[in-house]
Each structure stands twice: as C-alpha cells, then as structure tokens.
Amino acid sequence: KISTTKFFTVMLTSATLYLMMDIATVFTLFYHKESLINRITHQAFIILLITTIFLTALYVEILGNGDLRRVNKPALVAISVPYFVAVGFALFGDINFVLDENGLYSYGNMVSALYSAIAFYIIEMFIETFRYKNKIPSKKRTALRLQFLIWGVIAIVQFFNQYMLLSGLGIAL
C-alpha cells in the first residue's frame, strides 16, 4: 500500500525539481538561447511541471479510493493519457523562444501539449473532488479545490499574457 504521506513527498520532490528547472530555463534563455542545453532544460522543466500536476491527479485518486491499487484501471489509463502525450511532445516536439524588450516566453507544440494537459488535469481534479466528496475530508477537499482554482487562473492569465511567467508561482502555492 502506498501511503498518502509518501506519495505527497514524491509530489513535493517533483515540484521542487520543477522550480529548480524553472530558474534554469530563465538562465539558459538569456545566456544559451540557441543551445542544446536550453532545449534540455526546457524539456526537463515541462516534464517536471506536468509530472507534478499528474502526481496531484493521482493523489486525488488515492484519497478518493484509499489506495492507488483500488483505482479503476480504465480510469487510471484515461488519467495517464494526457500525461504521456505531453511528455512525448516534451521529448520530441518543437519549442521556440521569444526574448525581447517585453520579456521572454516559449511557444510551439511542446508548449501547446503542456497547456492542453494542464487544462485537462485542472478540470478533472476539480470534478473528482466532488465525486469523492464522501471519501475526502471537507478541509482537504476545500484546499484541493482552491489549489486547482489558483492553477486554473494562473494558466488562463499566462495563456493570454505569455510574458507573465507564473507557473512557478502556481506550483509553489
């Protein structure tokens, strides 16, 4: 049995590594924009971001089912598909960078796949907190919903204003 405490520790580790990659990507954009190291740090950044969010989705499933082994297998597969698609695009997709007087941001199918997966998970996890309302304690449900709402607002703001790099703030909160 996987305890929620151990699983939460894995989530926090992933989030910490993601935040470190967030800092590294800014550095590589300024000093190594056209280099392989810039692509690799962005790939790690995207993979760690989607991993953190995917692990959060699994955490909600563990809370709702009591154990990861009790999660419905077709549901587990459905939850996993956006993760693996986003990771595939992170490994093999295109990414481009803008660095100008307004700031910096990235775009391309790697980023689009990430945004799509994030949108899926935010909606899916928010709905799951209602589905598992009798299994997840009220305070924890409220905290999770607030977290998903914050992620959703940050994702929408960043989607429409690409120069505002807010994903690190969302994960840190």
Side-chain angles (χ1 to χ4, degrees), residues 23-159:
I23 295 165
T25 58
V26 173
F27 176 80
T28 61
L29 267 175
F30 276 105
Y31 298 105
H32 305 287
K33 183 178 175 187
E34 302 300 327
S35 70
L36 179 61
I37 191 73
N38 186 39
R39 179 175 174 84
I40 291 169
T41 56
H42 275 80
Q43 287 172 313
F45 165 82
I46 288 171
I47 290 169
L48 286 165
L49 174 55
I50 198 60
T51 298
T52 301
I53 293 174
F54 173 67
L55 289 172
T56 306
L58 289 179
Y59 179 71
V60 171
E61 291 298 322
I62 290 170
L63 290 174
N65 289 283
D67 189 2
L68 190 57
R69 289 177 285 177
R70 292 186 195 157
V71 175
N72 179 321
K73 299 304 179 222
L76 189 58
V77 169
I79 292 169
S80 301
V81 168
Y83 173 74
F84 288 109
V85 168
V87 169
F89 273 99
L91 293 173
F92 305 109
D94 295 328
I95 189 166
N96 301 294
F97 308 100
V98 171
L99 175 59
D100 60 24
E101 65 278 352
N102 297 316
L104 59 98
Y105 69 91
S106 55
Y107 65 95
N109 60 22
M110 188 186 297
V111 177
S112 296
L114 175 67
Y115 276 125
S116 299
I118 288 172
F120 169 84
Y121 285 122
I122 290 171
I123 293 166
E124 184 268 337
M125 290 184 289
F126 195 79
I127 290 169
E128 293 297 276
T129 62
F130 289 97
R131 190 173 132 214
Y132 295 130
K133 69 180 181 182
N134 295 328
K135 296 181 180 179
I136 301 174
S138 177
K139 285 184 179 181
K140 198 169 278 191
R141 269 194 334 267
T142 302
L144 288 166
R145 288 176 187 157
L146 182 60
Q147 175 187 0
F148 306 146
L149 285 173
I150 290 170
W151 283 358
V153 168
I154 285 174
I156 290 167
V157 168
Q158 189 164 335
F159 181 79

